[in-house]
Amino acid sequence: MGHMTSRNSRTRAVPRTPPAQRDKSSSPEPRMPVKKELSEFEQQRLANIAERDALLKQLKLESQSSGFSTPKSANNSANKSKKRATPRIKEEVDTPRRTSSRLKGIAAESETAKRKADDEYEAMREADRVKRLRQTGSYSQADMFVAGQKLSGDSLIGVDVITKGVAKPYERTFGDDDIDQTTDKDLKALREEMNGLSLWEAWDPQRIKITPERVYAMAFHPSETKPLIFAGDKMGHLGMLDASQEKPEVDEDEDDEDVKDDDPDPVLTTLKPHTRTISAMVVNPSKPTHLYTASYDSSIRSLDLEQMVSSEAYAPEASDIDEAISGVDMAPEDPNVLYWTTLQGAFGQYDTRTPMKDANVLSWNLSEKKIGGFSLCPSTPNYFATASLDRFMRLWDLRKLSAEEPVPVAEHESRLSVSHAAFNSAGQIATSSYDDTLKIYDVGAKGLSSWKTGHTLPDKQFTPDTVVRHNCQTGRWVTILRPQWQLNPQSPIQRFCIGNMNRFVDIYSSNGDQLAQLGGDGITAVPAVAVFHRSKNWVAGGTASGKLCLWQ
């Protein structure tokens, strides 16, 4: 403060010259305003503006006197609240049409307008809820038919390793050089055989739209006479394609436009048995005329491929119970028992020959988080493996599932969530994980088939025998990558397929050796959902746009 006082005193000590004694020559002369003459164009423009303002003012007074208008701030807030409250409906539903309250002479803030807005909102919510409810009972192909050609039963069934990081489309990581450098004769022969598979030549993959929306699940029919493929999408559609059909011949002498019009797409059939995502499907191993589809609408349905009739095989007793089903499987020797998992972490079992009551449906909570995939061991179906969001792959014994506190036979924790666990007939489990690895556990070599009830493995003995680097970062718009074994391979070497983010399908052996990388012209999206035929070297892949890639 002392410093400030000294400074102020110095300032006051400077003498100031009174304004009257200042040199007038040093002060600037005051500027006089210059009146600018308006041009004729500017005068006309200002007149037009004045006339417009007067007209708008008159209109505003008339509308206020009629009771049609409201203050601007209130009107804006009402509109904003409506936009936030109204849910977006993706599919067209039967909801009341919005009508203008202004034309009816209803003030925006009146009780009538508020009731009308509330009624419309509740109607739209109810329509959306009804749309997502599962459909109960049985219905025929005509009830489910969406698009394509209605197929008869006879024509449908027939007689009988990548580095972690950003994917680079179409960049191969396995090819002819890798095959040429293979020293093992059996492995080299199998690699040559699998790499010899080529895309179905009849149609370009861009023209094979097997489902309207993103493919979530696929399956081959076990028939070896022709490739019959099923695909389920995110909206509950089921697409079916008979890949034994031949493309009609086109007269090349005609004009280009005529040729294009006469070039038909492949014949396929699209049904809609579910109201939500079809998450998994399986053909009954003992009854191949029945296809079972599981859905997020909490139901499992059975499609009779001969009669083309869909029946509800399992669903919660109450229709408002939401238990989204993530996987379904059946034991080879038992055509009547269904097994499934849910996004809530439950595992269920139901014998379809018994009435659907709580006492007949068995259920266990095996995980605190969702189970993304599971499978029974084909050779020893008492055992099954689950993969869950809590980062664990667990092995379970059906004979020792306690209702109070189920204890797994063994478990292994990954760094990030495990997407799927797939068993093969040799007792090997392949998993895919968000830590960008494929892990293979050989429990068959540890004596799985001879284990007695209650047998357990310590954590040190239940570790992956093989780990393969594989990019599993699918993101939001690509279906999660899941390995799928060929259940009955025609050689001693077990193999499985899985989608590749570089827009291929990879095939690996049970030892982690890459056997093939399937691609081809016309594949413009990731074939994320990849499946093997049970015994034939046929591989199918489904994309986010509902397109199908088939290698034979």
Side-chain angles (χ1 to χ4, degrees):
M1 291 297 293
H3 176 73
M4 293 295 294
T5 304
S6 175
R7 182 178 180 182
N8 292 338
S9 63
R10 287 196 301 270
T11 304
R12 287 193 297 271
V14 177
R16 296 189 177 185
T17 304
Q21 299 178 8
R22 291 178 185 172
D23 188 1
K24 296 182 179 181
S25 62
S26 61
S27 60
E29 295 182 0
R31 295 183 178 180
M32 298 297 293
V34 178
K35 186 176 181 180
K36 185 178 180 181
E37 295 184 2
L38 297 178
S39 65
E40 183 178 353
F41 173 80
E42 186 67 16
Q43 293 176 2
Q44 182 63 39
R45 188 180 71 86
L46 294 176
N48 291 340
I49 293 175
E51 183 180 356
R52 183 200 63 186
D53 291 343
L55 178 61
L56 290 176
K57 185 176 181 180
Q58 180 65 26
L59 291 175
K60 184 176 180 181
L61 292 174
E62 291 178 359
S63 62
Q64 288 178 350
S65 62
S66 302
F68 288 159
S69 65
T70 56
K72 185 177 181 181
S73 59
N75 192 30
N76 288 342
S77 62
N79 289 339
K80 290 181 180 178
S81 62
K82 264 188 182 180
K83 290 182 180 178
R84 285 195 298 267
T86 305
R88 296 181 62 186
I89 306 299
K90 292 186 177 180
E91 292 189 352
E92 184 178 350
V93 293
D94 295 331
T95 56
R97 286 183 175 273
R98 182 179 177 181
T99 56
S100 173
S101 299
R102 180 181 61 82
L103 296 179
K104 292 183 176 182
I106 303 174
E109 292 185 345
S110 68
E111 290 298 323
T112 304
K114 291 180 180 179
R115 287 197 301 270
K116 176 177 177 294
D118 291 341
D119 291 344
E120 287 184 356
Y121 174 66
E122 291 300 327
M124 296 176 76
R125 283 190 59 185
E126 178 64 17
D128 184 65
R129 186 189 69 82
V130 171
K131 181 185 69 174
R132 295 167 64 87
L133 285 177
R134 66 177 182 272
Q135 302 176 11
T136 60
S138 300
Y139 38 86
S140 64
Q141 180 188 6
D143 299 324
M144 300 179 288
F145 186 76
V146 176
Q149 178 175 324
K150 295 183 180 180
L151 302 177
S152 64
D154 294 338
S155 63
L156 183 65
I157 299 179
V159 183
D160 79 33
V161 172
I162 288 178
T163 57
K164 181 179 179 181
V166 178
K168 297 180 180 180
Y170 310 115
E171 181 179 79
R172 283 190 173 273
T173 56
F174 182 86
D176 295 336
D177 293 340
D178 300 276
I179 299 174
D180 295 337
Q181 296 172 7
T182 306
T183 56
D184 186 289
K185 292 183 178 179
D186 294 336
L187 178 60
K188 184 175 183 178
L190 183 57
R191 282 178 166 175
E192 291 175 345
E193 179 183 1
M194 300 308 299
N195 275 274
L197 301 180
S198 58
L199 279 174
W200 187 30
E201 297 180 352
W203 278 274
D204 185 278
Q206 286 299 303
R207 298 186 58 187
I208 313 174
K209 189 169 177 62
I210 193 169
T211 57
E213 300 288 341
R214 185 206 305 185
V215 176
Y216 265 73
M218 294 183 69
F220 270 100
H221 190 271
S223 171
E224 297 184 354
T225 59
K226 60 182 179 181
L228 182 58
I229 307 161
F230 307 99
D233 73 3
K234 65 177 293 185
M235 299 303 295
H237 298 98
L238 175 65
M240 297 180 288
L241 172 71
D242 178 3
S244 65
Q245 60 183 287
E246 297 181 358
K247 188 174 183 179
E249 295 183 0
V250 178
D251 189 357
E252 298 181 357
D253 295 334
E254 297 181 6
D255 296 336
D256 292 341
E257 291 297 330
D258 295 335
V259 171
K260 184 177 180 180
D261 294 339
D262 293 338
D263 188 14
D265 291 328
V267 175
L268 53 83
T269 300
T270 304
L271 309 177
K272 198 173 190 304
H274 294 278
T275 58
R276 295 173 64 186
T277 301
I278 296 179
S279 56
M281 58 180 66
V282 61
V283 177
N284 191 322
S286 303
K287 200 174 182 182
T289 57
H290 286 72
L291 172 71
Y292 289 86
T293 54
S295 171
Y296 287 176
D297 66 8
S298 308
S299 71
I300 301 174
R301 301 191 67 89
S302 172
L303 177 63
D304 188 328
L305 300 176
E306 291 182 324
Q307 304 297 327
M308 294 305 293
V309 174
S310 175
S311 305
E312 189 175 76
Y314 163 77
E317 189 172 2
S319 60
D320 59 345
I321 296 178
D322 187 9
E323 294 179 351
I325 298 177
S326 59
V328 63
D329 205 355
M330 304 183 76
E333 71 277 2
D334 195 339
N336 301 303
V337 179
L338 289 171
Y339 302 91
W340 67 90
T341 53
T342 72
L343 296 185
Q344 289 76 26
F347 172 79
Q349 175 184 344
Y350 171 61
D351 190 329
T352 57
R353 294 169 297 184
T354 61
M356 196 178 299
K357 297 180 180 178
D358 291 339
N360 298 327
V361 177
L362 304 178
S363 180
W364 300 267
N365 291 323
L366 303 185
S367 174
E368 294 182 356
K369 297 184 178 181
K370 80 169 184 178
I371 297 177
F374 89 105
S375 65
L376 301 173
C377 179
S379 57
T380 314
N382 287 326
Y383 295 96
F384 67 96
T386 60
S388 50
L389 188 62
D390 61 8
R391 303 179 297 179
F392 278 93
M393 192 279 283
R394 296 182 174 93
L395 180 62
W396 306 86
D397 186 348
L398 276 170
R399 301 166 296 182
K400 288 291 291 181
L401 283 182
S402 169
E404 294 80 15
E405 189 175 354
V407 177
V409 173
E411 64 180 12
H412 181 262
E413 184 178 8
S414 295
R415 188 174 62 86
L416 295 174
S417 64
V418 188
S419 303
H420 187 54
F423 247 122
N424 68 7
S425 56
Q428 296 165 322
I429 307 170
T431 67
S432 56
S433 174
Y434 265 95
D435 62 6
D436 290 324
T437 62
L438 306 177
K439 302 181 182 71
I440 302 173
Y441 305 77
D442 195 349
V443 290
K446 295 178 173 62
L448 175 71
S449 59
S450 61
W451 289 350
K452 295 181 180 180
T453 304
H455 182 87
T456 59
L457 284 177
D459 293 344
K460 293 182 179 179
Q461 296 184 21
F462 194 62
T463 56
D465 294 271
T466 305
V467 178
V468 179
R469 300 295 297 174
H470 191 85
N471 184 4
C472 296
Q473 304 302 315
T474 54
R476 182 179 180 183
W477 308 110
V478 177
T479 305
I480 295 173
L481 305 183
R482 296 179 173 89
Q484 198 263 344
W485 294 93
Q486 187 175 32
L487 295 180
N488 187 24
Q490 303 302 301
S491 74
I493 301 178
Q494 299 281 337
R495 76 292 301 264
F496 67 88
C497 64
I498 186 169
N500 182 314
M501 291 300 293
N502 291 22
R503 301 179 188 174
F504 297 100
V505 169
D506 290 334
I507 300 177
Y508 293 95
S509 72
S510 58
N511 293 329
D513 296 321
Q514 185 157 5
L515 303 179
Q517 193 165 82
L518 305 179
D521 296 334
I523 302 177
T524 59
V526 178
V529 183
V531 292
F532 244 125
H533 185 270
R534 173 181 292 270
S535 54
K536 303 284 285 186
N537 286 335
W538 298 337
V539 179
T543 71
S545 57
K547 305 294 179 58
L548 172 72
C549 310
L550 173 63
W551 292 271
Q552 297 175 287

